[in-house]
Amino acid sequence: MTKIKGWQVLAIGNSKTPKDWNLKGAIYLSLDVQAQLGFRVVDYLPYDSYVRKTVGYLFAIQHGAQKIYDVDDRGDVIDNDIGKHFDVELIGEGARQEVILQYSHENPNRTVVNPYIHFGQRSVWPRGLPLEKVGDIGHEEFYTEVFGGKQFIQQGISNGLPDVDSIFYFTRKAALEAFDIRFDDRAPKVALPQGTMVPVNSFNTIFHSSAFWGLMLPVSVSTMASDVLRGYWAQRLLWEVGGYVVVYPPTAHRYDRVEAYPFSEEKDLHVNVGRLVNFLVAWRSNKHRLFEKILELSYVMAEEGFWTEKDVQFTAAWLQDLLAVGYQQPRLMSLELDRPRANIGHGDRKEFVPQKLPSVHLGVEEVGMVNYEIGNLIRWRKNFGNVVLIMFCSGSVERTALEWRLLYGRIFKTVIILSGEKNVDLAVEEGQLDYIYKYLPKYFDRYSSADGFLFLQDDTVLNYWTLLQADKSKLWITNKVSKSWTSVSVAGNSDWFVKQADMVKKVVATMPAHFQVNYKESVKDQQSLTICNSEVFYVPRHFVPDFVDLVNLVGGLDIHHKVAIPMFFLAMDSPQNFDSVFNSMRYKQKLQSNSTSFYSAEAPAIHPWNVSSEQDFIRLIRIMAADPAQQQNVEKYLLFLFPL
């Protein structure tokens, strides 16, 4: 990079940088030099993080930089020419009159897009794309156009290892295989209209002086989330000064060093980014100067939990430092967000059909198979896209909650994670497994338009592709799985069974007539107690009021989950009307080590299966996504892990 003409390389060190690091042609700011520069932000920066680049941004602005190319240390600029695709100069009549292709604003509900589709890779997604958007793989019906000159933030695509998240990285290739993904360098650059966002990183991005205020890397979130949160935050504020983001064809080649990094480093993205985008698009400010708006937004983002108060203080220090080095804040421009959107006439519609370039999926070259995979995804999403999955995690949620949400979140309307302890950072809610049914009405009410609710315990793996034929208007439960659903004689049994049976009799006696009839027709022996381990069951929407009524009848009684659920199901409907989908699940009572031979892709569910760490999770994914030649009739040839 030091050989690229017209640019000055500025390298920023942290505590991991060798003491004797130097490079001819580069300016190097060591930790000691950074401390001597007098910037307020230094007090907030961790010593071992790349967010220390914040000091470098201020140093560059102080020394007259008019544009900053934000780049990491593992990439090469293609042809040593930053201007080959980027718009390095925005000044002049030619720059202002240039017409740039732009995503359509026709759909007001679309707030974020995957730019990789435009550049030929429709089943690759960038780090920071909300999980629920990964399944949107169709190309644009049409684009519009916008004049150039205001593309103050320019995001370049990277060949080789593009900016993908850990989920893509861990699950789309063999462990020791390096990614070498190529994008279409002939596809035109594309702009984002107000109201629509795109993930922006710090790996291959140009900021022009009008957007220098947007270079601040937040310090209270994980390092793998910092630049993406900055990108969304800056995009929203960019609209206030009439600017926009443009995404460009490949401008760099990043090399995959085949390094592992934990899922947990990205939790701030996977848990919060979808909510963040919606929040930012809806956010409004009445402040009259840009820096006032910036500070207000940072404060509200802390209130909403996207970062902490530390970043509010850091924002204030950053803005003070900008003013101190002589930066002039841009003037505000009127926003178009609240105006009626202009109709897009036929003549305004511009067509561009992206190429479909080869990629790598689970070590398999993408040819005709990708159409098969995407066809599966569409079917799965169509079938379960309005079903809520409620999952209880018995183990450490720090090690598994995020992974479970990622596994199932691409298919279901939403995934709710419950555990014995609440975890705000991972969006895990508190619940007691022994009485979990008492928590369900809250989620029934929260998602009142859902087709149904599927409950799952984390010691059970759900093969959702086998559920496509199940009737979503019926109840699903393991009533034909003998080791899960059993009838226990109360006579001569322990006090616990006796007490549970007595409470069941009390509830049944208070049931409306139709519930009593259903229950008593199914339970002929009044001296027996029906037990169901209830690892997995489904309640369709039209049975939700019945379920809620039965929960209310239980009230404060201490009826265990394993007793209450079969009682509810027998009262709501006759077992002969239950869907048989779970009859063929793989089931053993005793816990065992996770075994490839025990797993079956044809079974609707597998129990027990223990996942207590990221390593366990990755092993599970590899088993689920095994070569279809080893698993007959596996429709899932999972674009897996996360059906994309």
Side-chain angles (χ1 to χ4, degrees):
M1 290 185 180
T2 58
K3 298 175 183 177
I4 298 176
K5 295 180 180 180
W7 291 81
Q8 171 63 57
V9 173
L10 176 60
I12 314 301
N14 62 22
S15 59
K16 299 175 183 177
T17 312
K19 296 294 184 183
D20 59 349
W21 193 92
N22 69 84
L23 178 66
K24 184 179 179 180
I27 297 172
Y28 172 57
L29 303 183
S30 66
L31 284 176
D32 290 340
V33 172
Q34 293 171 40
Q36 296 167 12
L37 293 174
F39 297 141
R40 293 172 176 84
V41 296
V42 172
D43 293 339
Y44 299 90
L45 298 172
Y47 286 102
D48 62 348
S49 172
Y50 91 102
V51 302
R52 296 198 72 87
K53 288 207 294 187
T54 302
V55 175
Y57 303 144
L58 289 168
F59 183 89
I61 296 167
Q62 185 178 42
H63 288 81
Q66 293 302 305
K67 53 196 72 85
I68 292 175
Y69 179 41
D70 207 9
V71 64
D72 76 344
D73 61 357
R74 69 166 68 181
D76 288 339
V77 175
I78 295 174
D79 296 334
N80 282 334
D81 185 0
I82 294 176
K84 181 175 182 178
H85 289 302
F86 281 128
D87 292 318
V88 175
E89 300 298 335
L90 298 182
I91 300 173
E93 192 66 20
R96 290 193 294 269
Q97 292 300 313
E98 181 190 17
V99 175
I100 301 173
L101 210 61
Q102 179 179 252
Y103 284 101
S104 163
H105 62 255
E106 185 176 57
N107 180 2
N109 296 318
R110 181 171 73 169
T111 56
V112 65
V113 296
N114 177 359
Y116 290 175
I117 299 171
H118 178 84
F119 294 97
Q121 292 289 0
R122 59 179 178 163
S123 55
V124 184
W125 70 95
R127 178 173 54 98
L129 187 72
L131 300 182
E132 62 272 19
K133 302 299 182 183
V134 171
D136 299 339
I137 43 76
H139 66 77
E140 296 297 293
E141 180 183 353
F142 64 88
Y143 296 78
T144 56
E145 291 179 330
V146 65
F147 283 116
K150 298 287 188 178
Q151 59 268 44
F152 300 144
I153 298 179
Q154 303 177 10
Q155 176 64 66
I157 300 290
S158 298
N159 280 334
L161 175 63
D163 186 25
V164 294
D165 62 23
S166 57
I167 307 308
F168 186 97
Y169 189 84
F170 280 128
T171 60
R172 304 299 287 262
K173 64 182 179 66
L176 299 178
E177 179 186 6
F179 270 122
D180 188 11
I181 296 175
R182 302 303 171 104
F183 293 86
D184 182 7
D185 62 358
R186 292 172 296 180
K189 60 194 176 191
V190 60
L192 282 300
Q194 287 187 5
T196 306
M197 293 187 172
V198 69
V200 171
N201 60 49
S202 61
F203 296 157
N204 182 25
T205 314
I206 284 183
F207 284 73
H208 283 262
S209 58
S210 294
F212 278 171
W213 45 266
L215 282 160
M216 182 193 82
L217 289 164
V219 295
S220 67
V221 298
S222 62
T223 54
M224 293 302 294
S226 181
D227 60 334
V228 172
L229 264 65
R230 172 187 76 174
Y232 284 126
W233 169 84
Q235 276 178 88
R236 175 59 188 85
L237 291 162
L238 198 60
W239 302 340
E240 302 285 343
V241 296
Y244 50 85
V245 172
V246 170
V247 185
Y248 290 77
T251 52
H253 187 106
R254 294 178 70 238
Y255 296 94
D256 183 3
R257 297 171 182 164
V258 194
E259 296 175 345
Y261 47 94
F263 292 123
S264 57
E265 278 293 298
E266 294 180 354
K267 69 178 178 63
D268 295 305
L269 293 180
H270 297 308
V271 172
N272 281 326
V273 74
R275 186 169 67 91
L276 172 63
V277 170
N278 292 332
F279 162 78
L280 289 171
V281 170
W283 177 75
R284 300 291 184 272
S285 170
N286 294 320
K287 300 296 184 182
H288 300 294
R289 293 175 64 83
L290 177 63
F291 281 14
E292 292 175 353
K293 287 179 180 283
I294 291 174
L295 196 57
E296 179 185 27
L297 178 57
S298 293
Y299 177 80
V300 178
M301 283 179 61
E303 281 191 323
E304 293 290 329
F306 297 117
W307 54 39
T308 72
E309 185 182 352
K310 183 178 181 181
D311 268 314
V312 181
Q313 298 169 355
F314 183 57
T315 303
W318 164 254
L319 296 177
Q320 288 177 298
D321 283 337
L322 281 176
L323 293 172
V325 299
Y327 182 72
Q328 299 291 319
Q329 55 182 306
R331 291 182 301 171
L332 298 177
M333 303 286 285
S334 60
L335 279 180
E336 299 176 1
L337 286 175
D338 294 320
R339 297 177 183 174
R341 297 197 175 211
N343 292 327
I344 301 174
H346 183 75
D348 299 322
R349 300 184 176 206
K350 305 300 176 184
E351 288 192 1
F352 170 72
V353 179
Q355 292 194 59
K356 297 176 183 176
L357 299 179
S359 185
V360 176
H361 302 283
L362 306 170
V364 178
E365 286 295 326
E366 175 186 49
V367 283
M369 185 61 72
V370 73
N371 292 324
Y372 181 59
E373 293 170 336
I374 290 170
N376 280 341
L377 168 68
I378 293 170
R379 289 201 301 146
W380 297 335
R381 289 284 296 185
K382 184 177 180 180
N383 201 65
F384 300 114
N386 202 32
V387 172
V388 174
L389 180 69
I390 303 171
M391 187 170 190
F392 186 88
C393 284
S394 300
S396 171
V397 292
E398 288 81 4
R399 297 188 179 190
T400 62
L402 174 59
E403 290 83 342
W404 286 122
R405 182 175 279 112
L406 292 170
L407 173 59
Y408 297 122
R410 307 301 167 91
I411 295 299
F412 294 94
K413 176 184 178 71
T414 194
V415 176
I416 297 166
I417 303 289
L418 298 171
S419 182
E421 292 186 7
K422 184 177 183 179
N423 187 312
V424 176
D425 290 341
L426 294 173
V428 173
E429 302 185 38
E430 184 178 359
Q432 295 182 49
L433 181 58
D434 289 354
Y435 309 102
I436 200 68
Y437 62 92
K438 295 187 178 182
Y439 296 82
L440 299 186
K442 175 173 66 174
Y443 304 110
F444 295 164
D445 182 62
R446 184 184 299 177
Y447 299 98
S448 58
S449 64
D451 290 341
F453 299 83
L454 185 61
F455 177 79
L456 184 70
Q457 294 183 35
D458 66 343
D459 60 355
T460 303
V461 175
L462 187 71
N463 290 344
Y464 46 79
W465 53 90
T466 64
L467 309 181
L468 291 175
Q469 305 306 317
D471 188 339
K472 288 187 298 186
S473 68
K474 293 184 176 182
L475 295 164
W476 311 349
I477 199 165
T478 57
N479 62 307
K480 296 293 185 182
V481 181
S482 60
K483 293 179 180 178
S484 176
W485 183 292
T486 57
S487 182
V488 178
S489 175
V490 176
N493 222 317
S494 68
D495 287 347
W496 187 87
F497 286 98
V498 173
K499 290 178 180 178
Q500 291 290 313
D502 286 343
M503 288 187 287
V504 167
K505 290 179 182 177
K506 289 181 181 179
V507 173
V508 171
T510 62
M511 287 180 181
H514 65 287
F515 285 156
Q516 284 198 39
V517 170
N518 286 340
Y519 182 83
K520 291 178 179 179
E521 283 183 352
S522 299
V523 181
K524 304 296 186 183
D525 183 2
Q526 299 303 310
Q527 299 305 310
S528 66
L529 184 67
T530 303
I531 303 289
C532 178
N533 290 330
S534 305
E535 299 91 353
V536 56
F537 60 85
Y538 170 79
V539 180
R541 179 167 57 187
H542 70 95
F543 276 108
V544 161
D546 290 348
F547 193 103
V548 173
D549 288 345
L550 290 165
V551 172
N552 291 334
L553 289 178
V554 171
L557 293 177
D558 194 22
I559 300 182
H560 196 278
H561 176 62
K562 294 181 179 181
V563 176
I565 291 300
M567 176 180 68
F568 290 176
F569 271 64
L570 295 176
M572 287 189 290
D573 203 358
S574 170
Q576 66 186 23
N577 294 328
F578 297 170
D579 195 280
S580 61
V581 61
F582 289 129
N583 292 359
S584 58
M585 74 178 285
R586 284 263 174 130
Y587 196 95
K588 290 185 179 180
Q589 272 188 309
K590 293 183 179 179
L591 295 177
Q592 58 171 36
S593 58
N594 298 339
S595 167
T596 306
S597 61
F598 181 57
Y599 178 83
S600 168
E602 289 82 14
I606 311 294
H607 172 87
W609 197 277
N610 293 318
V611 174
S612 59
S613 66
E614 292 172 0
Q615 290 71 30
D616 288 345
F617 189 81
I618 292 171
R619 281 194 290 271
L620 169 63
I621 297 312
R622 287 178 177 159
I623 291 172
M624 294 176 82
D627 190 313
Q630 301 172 17
Q631 298 182 354
Q632 297 178 3
N633 196 27
V634 182
E635 286 187 62
K636 73 184 176 61
Y637 195 76
L638 293 172
L639 223 169
F640 208 71
L641 183 80
F642 303 110
L644 312 180

Coordinates of all heavy atoms in Angstrom, one line a residue, residues 390-392 418-419 430-441 443 455 457 534 537 547 559-561 565:
I390 N -40.3 -21.4 20.5 CA -39.9 -21.1 21.9 C -39.0 -22.2 22.4 O -39.4 -23.3 22.4 CB -41.2 -20.9 22.7 CG1 -42.1 -19.9 22.1 CG2 -40.8 -20.6 24.2 CD1 -43.5 -19.8 22.8
M391 N -37.8 -21.8 22.8 CA -36.8 -22.8 23.2 C -36.3 -22.6 24.6 O -36.1 -21.4 25.0 CB -35.6 -22.7 22.2 CG -34.6 -23.8 22.4 SD -33.4 -23.8 21.0 CE -32.6 -25.4 21.4
F392 N -36.2 -23.7 25.3 CA -35.7 -23.5 26.7 C -34.3 -24.1 26.7 O -34.0 -25.2 26.3 CB -36.6 -24.3 27.7 CG -36.1 -24.1 29.1 CD1 -36.6 -23.0 29.8 CD2 -35.2 -24.9 29.7 CE1 -36.2 -22.7 31.1 CE2 -34.7 -24.7 31.0 CZ -35.2 -23.6 31.7
L418 N -35.5 -19.1 26.3 CA -35.8 -19.0 27.7 C -34.7 -19.8 28.5 O -34.2 -20.8 28.0 CB -37.2 -19.5 28.1 CG -38.4 -18.8 27.5 CD1 -39.6 -19.6 27.7 CD2 -38.5 -17.5 28.1
S419 N -34.4 -19.4 29.7 CA -33.5 -20.1 30.5 C -33.8 -19.8 32.0 O -34.6 -18.9 32.3 CB -32.0 -19.6 30.2 OG -31.1 -20.3 31.0
E430 N -36.2 -15.0 31.2 CA -36.2 -16.0 32.3 C -37.4 -16.8 32.3 O -38.5 -16.4 32.0 CB -36.1 -15.2 33.7 CG -36.0 -16.1 34.9 CD -35.9 -15.3 36.2 OE1 -35.9 -14.0 36.1 OE2 -35.8 -15.9 37.3
G431 N -37.2 -18.1 32.7 CA -38.4 -19.0 32.8 C -37.9 -20.3 33.6 O -36.7 -20.6 33.7
Q432 N -38.9 -21.0 34.2 CA -38.6 -22.2 34.9 C -39.2 -23.4 34.1 O -40.4 -23.4 33.8 CB -39.3 -22.2 36.3 CG -38.7 -21.1 37.3 CD -39.4 -21.2 38.6 OE1 -39.5 -22.3 39.2 NE2 -39.9 -20.1 39.1
L433 N -38.3 -24.3 33.8 CA -38.7 -25.4 32.9 C -39.8 -26.2 33.6 O -40.8 -26.7 32.9 CB -37.5 -26.3 32.6 CG -37.8 -27.5 31.7 CD1 -38.4 -27.1 30.4 CD2 -36.6 -28.4 31.5
D434 N -39.8 -26.4 34.9 CA -40.8 -27.2 35.6 C -42.2 -26.6 35.4 O -43.2 -27.4 35.5 CB -40.5 -27.3 37.1 CG -39.3 -28.2 37.3 OD1 -38.8 -28.8 36.4 OD2 -38.8 -28.3 38.5
Y435 N -42.3 -25.3 35.1 CA -43.6 -24.7 35.0 C -43.7 -23.8 33.7 O -44.3 -22.8 33.7 CB -43.9 -23.8 36.2 CG -43.8 -24.6 37.5 CD1 -42.6 -24.4 38.3 CD2 -44.7 -25.5 37.9 CE1 -42.4 -25.2 39.4 CE2 -44.5 -26.3 39.1 CZ -43.4 -26.1 39.8 OH -43.2 -26.8 41.0
I436 N -43.0 -24.3 32.7 CA -42.8 -23.5 31.5 C -44.1 -23.1 30.8 O -44.2 -22.1 30.2 CB -41.8 -24.2 30.5 CG1 -41.2 -23.2 29.5 CG2 -42.5 -25.3 29.8 CD1 -40.3 -22.2 30.1
Y437 N -45.1 -24.0 30.9 CA -46.4 -23.7 30.3 C -47.0 -22.4 30.8 O -47.8 -21.8 30.1 CB -47.3 -24.9 30.5 CG -47.7 -25.2 32.0 CD1 -48.8 -24.6 32.6 CD2 -46.8 -26.0 32.7 CE1 -49.1 -24.9 33.9 CE2 -47.1 -26.3 34.1 CZ -48.3 -25.7 34.6 OH -48.6 -26.0 36.0
K438 N -46.7 -22.0 32.0 CA -47.3 -20.8 32.6 C -46.7 -19.5 31.9 O -47.3 -18.5 32.0 CB -47.0 -20.8 34.1 CG -47.8 -21.9 34.8 CD -47.7 -21.7 36.3 CE -48.5 -22.8 37.1 NZ -48.4 -22.6 38.6
Y439 N -45.6 -19.7 31.2 CA -44.9 -18.5 30.6 C -45.4 -18.4 29.1 O -45.3 -17.3 28.5 CB -43.4 -18.7 30.5 CG -42.8 -18.7 31.9 CD1 -42.7 -19.9 32.7 CD2 -42.2 -17.6 32.4 CE1 -42.1 -19.9 33.9 CE2 -41.6 -17.6 33.7 CZ -41.6 -18.7 34.4 OH -41.0 -18.8 35.7
L440 N -46.0 -19.4 28.6 CA -46.3 -19.4 27.2 C -47.4 -18.4 26.8 O -47.3 -17.8 25.7 CB -46.7 -20.8 26.7 CG -45.6 -21.9 26.9 CD1 -46.1 -23.2 26.2 CD2 -44.3 -21.4 26.3
P441 N -48.5 -18.2 27.6 CA -49.5 -17.3 27.2 C -49.0 -15.9 26.9 O -49.5 -15.2 26.0 CB -50.4 -17.2 28.4 CG -50.3 -18.6 28.9 CD -48.9 -19.0 28.8
Y443 N -46.2 -15.2 25.3 CA -45.7 -15.2 24.0 C -46.8 -15.4 23.0 O -46.8 -14.8 21.8 CB -44.6 -16.2 23.8 CG -43.5 -16.0 24.8 CD1 -43.3 -16.9 25.9 CD2 -42.7 -14.9 24.7 CE1 -42.3 -16.6 26.9 CE2 -41.7 -14.6 25.7 CZ -41.5 -15.5 26.7 OH -40.6 -15.3 27.7
F455 N -42.7 -25.5 20.7 CA -41.8 -25.5 21.9 C -40.8 -26.5 21.7 O -41.0 -27.7 21.3 CB -42.6 -25.7 23.2 CG -41.7 -25.8 24.4 CD1 -41.3 -24.6 25.0 CD2 -41.4 -27.0 24.9 CE1 -40.5 -24.7 26.1 CE2 -40.6 -27.1 26.1 CZ -40.1 -25.9 26.7
Q457 N -37.0 -28.1 23.8 CA -36.0 -28.1 24.8 C -34.6 -28.3 24.1 O -34.5 -28.9 23.0 CB -36.2 -29.2 25.8 CG -37.4 -28.9 26.7 CD -37.6 -30.0 27.8 OE1 -36.6 -30.5 28.3 NE2 -38.8 -30.3 28.0
S534 N -42.3 -33.8 27.2 CA -42.6 -32.5 26.6 C -41.4 -31.8 26.0 O -41.2 -30.6 26.2 CB -43.4 -31.6 27.5 OG -44.5 -32.2 28.0
F537 N -43.3 -29.8 21.3 CA -44.8 -29.9 21.0 C -45.1 -28.6 20.3 O -44.4 -27.6 20.3 CB -45.6 -30.1 22.3 CG -45.5 -29.0 23.3 CD1 -46.2 -27.8 23.2 CD2 -44.6 -29.2 24.4 CE1 -46.1 -26.8 24.2 CE2 -44.5 -28.2 25.4 CZ -45.2 -27.0 25.3
F547 N -55.6 -23.3 25.3 CA -54.4 -23.5 26.1 C -54.3 -22.4 27.2 O -54.0 -22.7 28.4 CB -53.1 -23.4 25.2 CG -51.8 -23.8 25.8 CD1 -51.3 -25.1 25.5 CD2 -51.2 -23.0 26.7 CE1 -50.1 -25.5 26.1 CE2 -50.0 -23.5 27.3 CZ -49.4 -24.7 27.0
I559 N -48.6 -27.8 39.5 CA -48.6 -29.0 38.6 C -47.3 -28.9 37.7 O -47.1 -27.8 37.1 CB -49.8 -29.0 37.7 CG1 -51.1 -29.1 38.6 CG2 -49.8 -30.1 36.7 CD1 -52.4 -29.2 37.8
H560 N -46.6 -29.9 37.6 CA -45.4 -30.0 36.9 C -45.6 -29.9 35.4 O -46.7 -30.4 34.9 CB -44.6 -31.2 37.2 CG -43.1 -31.2 36.8 ND1 -42.7 -31.5 35.5 CD2 -42.0 -30.9 37.5 CE1 -41.4 -31.4 35.4 NE2 -40.9 -31.0 36.6
H561 N -44.7 -29.3 34.7 CA -44.8 -29.2 33.2 C -45.0 -30.6 32.5 O -45.8 -30.7 31.6 CB -43.4 -28.6 32.7 CG -43.3 -28.5 31.2 ND1 -44.1 -27.7 30.4 CD2 -42.4 -29.1 30.4 CE1 -43.7 -27.8 29.2 NE2 -42.7 -28.6 29.1
I565 N -48.7 -30.5 30.5 CA -48.8 -30.4 29.0 C -49.7 -31.6 28.5 O -50.6 -31.4 27.7 CB -47.4 -30.4 28.4 CG1 -46.7 -29.1 28.6 CG2 -47.5 -30.7 26.9 CD1 -47.4 -27.9 28.1

